[in-house]
Amino acid sequence: MSTGAAEGHVLAIDQGTTSTRALVVDLGGRVVTTAQVEHRQHFPRPGWVEHDPDEIWANTRQVIAEALGAAGLVPGALAAVGVTNQRETVVVWDRRTGRPVHRAIVWQDTRTEDLCRELGGPDGADRYRKRTGLPLSTYVSAPKIRWILDHVGGARAAAERGELAAGTIDSWLVWNLTGGAGHGVHRTDVTNASRTLLMDLATTRWDAAIAGELGVPTAMLPEIRPSIGAFGRGHRDGPIPGVPIMGVLGDQQAALFGQTRFAAGEAKNTYGTGSFVLLNTGAEPVASEHGLITTVAYQRSGHAPVYALEGSIAVTGALVQWLRDNLGIIERAADVEELAGAVEDNGGVYIVPAFSGLFAPHWRPDARGTIVGLTRYADRRHLARAALEAAALQTCEVLDAMRSDTGMRLRELQVDGGMAANDLFLRIQADHLGLPVVRPENVETTAMGAAYAAGLAAGAWPDLDTLRGHWRTGARFLPEKDERWRRGRRRAWQEAVSRSLNWTGE
Ligand SMILES: Nc1ncnc2c1ncn2[C@@H]1O[C@H](COP(=O)(O)OP(=O)(O)OP(=O)(O)O)[C@@H](O)[C@H]1O
Ligand SMILES: [Mg+2]
């Protein structure tokens, strides 16, 4: 086994909603090896989604070992490790034993709907928007932490005594990689912290007043660090002994970084479980008046943070999974392309996949999945086509909101994620947008972003321009439909969305 040059490779850990991946990347920005394991999705009640943090940590160790093994590398051959992760999902654990006190509550989970309504009071979802950039919603982390403290016996008292730690998945992994109970460091990065509803966007520090109002003791929270810089070294008994963790980014920010969208005015959309459009807005956080989130895009150690506007769409690829798992009309996700391609259009059918309410730009927890426009003519092919159009039309809505908020007009949209492998879908997206849609050669942008962040901080790459030099066009999809067609589809979509509202609550 070769040990490789100490500066020769970077390892990225991509802990996602459905699976955990590890990638070994070389200095040319090429993926050398990958390993991936799925974890179990727990749905204890309608609208509840949980993961087992111990399973996630075990899977992380496994994929690190597999990716390194396949590359013929020992951990000591790595220049640095980067971590990227599903965002907002929270873990609360006992610092002394390292045991989680509850399963992780996942970003899609809607159990805090009533709690959020109560906490919002007369200001509703906008209560903390100015300071945090976020709506007070089931999506963000703080209400989930509060729920655990309210429902696990003794948890609140233990949290107040400083015995419990709370964090997003990145901090759970960093704590475990650096040694866990007795050794682990409790740190997070500014992009993940910006999704909690507990961080002041302007100062990038925890806001004690908000934490107090939401009932989350600050003693539980990790230290916030720049995304690109030192987080700690792998513990000697762990999977990356002695290797420095030099980059941590939430998955969508990592995808923006991996797409090398470093400049203000550049955007990307990642189509995975959900879809997340991020528009780099540069040094200034832009407040949204059209239902978008203001978030940190990345921060290099010693530099000011770079901000982004985000359109978070809860369900896109997950609708394709639903066609597969719940309706059984396809066998594999990729089969949706052939089925949808067997018809010319959607036959008038629209699916609003509001499985966990609607996120951007509507923020309606009371919305539920809706299929409209059915006739005796419609069949599974139209449903497949409508599923692809749902992803495309939701993306159009958030790009419209971005234009309204910033006046910026995109020239093209960079795309990635599992669903971006589907050529028919990207043609549909270009038609609905009226803009070119561009897929890079390397679609592992989330993991690449974590690798780039860590390698940049470790000096494996000298600057952002070098990273930009790694980006290559894979395919370009040009719009073929006219404005009139687009307007008609948008109008129908708005009608369909209005039918999906008001299905929960009093
Ligand atoms: N060819 C395809 N056409 C349409 N959708 C697809 C296709 N291939 C995969 N998908 C969808 O893409 C999603 C998986 O994409 P990806 O692996 O990027 O997910 P992800 O959200 O990053 O997962 P994680 O959150 O675990 O990181 C699934 O929801 C799947 O239904
Ligand atoms: Mg992912």
Side-chain angles (χ1 to χ4, degrees):
M1 182 183 280
S2 95
T3 54
E7 62 287 352
H9 294 89
V10 174
L11 178 86
I13 300 166
D14 173 7
Q15 201 306 298
T17 308
T18 55
S19 73
T20 307
R21 288 185 256 237
L23 279 79
V24 174
V25 175
D26 71 14
L27 290 195
R30 287 172 294 262
V31 177
V32 180
T33 57
T34 69
Q36 178 169 8
V37 191
E38 292 201 5
H39 57 270
R40 215 177 131 195
Q41 307 291 319
H42 298 268
F43 304 111
R45 296 190 197 177
W48 293 28
V49 188
E50 299 178 350
H51 294 159
D52 176 355
D54 290 323
E55 182 185 8
I56 283 177
W57 168 232
N59 289 357
T60 303
R61 284 176 309 202
Q62 183 185 333
V63 293
I64 292 172
E66 284 177 13
L68 285 175
L73 293 173
V74 296
L78 296 170
V81 168
V83 175
T84 180
N85 57 288
Q86 53 170 320
R87 306 173 305 170
E88 299 96 16
T89 300
V90 303
V91 185
V92 175
W93 69 95
D94 185 318
R95 293 180 195 267
R96 197 171 45 83
T97 63
R99 306 287 311 157
V101 304
H102 193 273
R103 281 204 289 245
I105 301 184
V106 177
W107 57 275
Q108 302 147 319
D109 190 295
T110 58
R111 79 185 65 189
T112 58
E113 184 178 345
D114 291 342
L115 176 62
C116 287
R117 199 176 306 117
E118 197 183 298
L119 291 169
D123 299 331
D126 286 334
R127 178 156 184 199
Y128 300 111
R129 199 183 264 283
K130 265 213 191 74
R131 274 181 282 171
T132 66
L134 299 171
L136 169 51
S137 67
T138 61
Y139 177 40
V140 302
S141 306
K144 303 180 204 291
I145 299 173
R146 161 74 181 260
W147 190 95
I148 291 176
L149 297 182
D150 285 349
H151 289 84
V152 174
R156 174 163 299 282
E160 274 158 8
R161 288 194 302 268
E163 291 167 16
L164 299 186
T168 40
I169 294 284
D170 57 305
S171 61
W172 170 244
L173 294 182
V174 166
W175 192 78
N176 279 293
L177 287 166
T178 55
H183 301 279
V185 296
H186 192 28
R187 292 181 179 145
T188 190
D189 95 294
V190 63
T191 68
N192 276 293
S194 81
R195 317 299 297 189
T196 58
L197 201 73
L198 297 170
M199 192 191 84
D200 183 315
L201 257 191
T203 63
T204 67
R205 303 168 96 99
W206 299 123
D207 186 315
I210 297 178
E213 285 170 27
L214 296 179
V216 175
T218 49
M220 308 178 78
L221 300 176
E223 176 197 349
I224 303 174
R225 294 213 163 182
S227 338
I228 301 166
F231 283 84
R233 276 183 191 275
H235 188 260
R236 65 182 129 74
D237 299 329
I240 49 160
V243 184
I245 303 165
M246 298 296 280
V248 174
L249 289 159
D251 56 5
Q252 300 306 324
Q253 282 86 346
L256 185 75
F257 206 76
Q259 286 265 26
T260 67
R261 305 296 94 187
F262 303 135
E266 296 182 330
K268 68 87 196 176
N269 192 12
T270 302
Y271 303 91
T273 306
S275 286
F276 300 84
V277 184
L278 267 74
L279 171 68
N280 185 325
T281 60
E284 291 302 320
V286 174
S288 176
E289 293 184 351
H290 298 89
L292 303 173
I293 280 175
T294 310
T295 198
V296 180
Y298 64 90
Q299 184 185 15
R300 295 175 73 178
S301 182
H303 294 69
V306 172
Y307 292 90
L309 265 182
E310 172 176 322
S312 327
I313 303 166
V315 175
T316 54
L319 176 58
V320 175
Q321 288 175 326
W322 186 81
L323 296 182
R324 181 193 64 191
D325 302 338
N326 298 46
L327 294 192
I329 65 172
I330 48 175
E331 217 173 290
R332 297 168 312 131
D335 298 342
V336 76
E337 184 163 6
E338 194 185 330
L339 191 59
V343 283
E344 281 301 303
D345 59 29
N346 63 11
V349 178
Y350 291 84
I351 308 178
V352 183
F355 297 147
S356 39
L358 283 172
F359 287 8
H362 306 285
W363 300 104
R364 291 290 297 257
D366 56 304
R368 284 297 176 268
T370 304
I371 303 178
V372 298
L374 292 174
T375 60
R376 278 298 292 275
Y377 166 80
D379 62 33
R380 64 181 67 194
R381 297 168 304 171
H382 301 101
L383 287 178
R385 191 131 189 145
L388 300 184
E389 295 210 326
L393 284 158
Q394 291 185 97
T395 299
C396 291
E397 286 187 307
V398 303
L399 286 175
D400 287 348
M402 280 177 182
R403 193 162 55 230
S404 303
D405 273 338
T406 66
M408 285 183 194
R409 266 187 179 273
L410 282 185
R411 283 185 304 132
E412 57 184 33
L413 182 68
Q414 252 78 24
V415 301
D416 54 71
M419 218 174 158
N422 184 323
D423 287 3
L424 171 66
F425 167 60
L426 295 186
R427 275 199 295 278
I428 290 173
Q429 181 68 85
D431 281 342
H432 278 291
L433 265 183
L435 287 177
V437 168
V438 182
R439 179 174 65 206
E441 208 172 86
N442 181 354
V443 291
E444 285 283 4
T445 55
T446 302
M448 289 311 294
Y452 284 167
L456 190 66
W461 293 295
D463 50 31
L464 297 177
D465 281 343
T466 305
L467 298 177
R468 267 194 195 275
H470 296 159
W471 195 94
R472 304 237 181 318
T473 301
R476 262 181 108 74
F477 301 86
L478 302 176
E480 287 171 1
K481 299 282 201 256
D482 61 20
E483 193 54 39
R484 203 181 122 91
W485 180 90
R486 269 194 285 283
R487 268 202 306 274
R489 292 302 171 99
R490 297 286 180 93
R491 204 174 318 116
W493 177 253
Q494 282 161 17
E495 269 316 311
V497 167
S498 71
R499 303 298 202 281
S500 76
L501 306 177
N502 296 315
W503 292 104
T504 68
E506 306 86 80

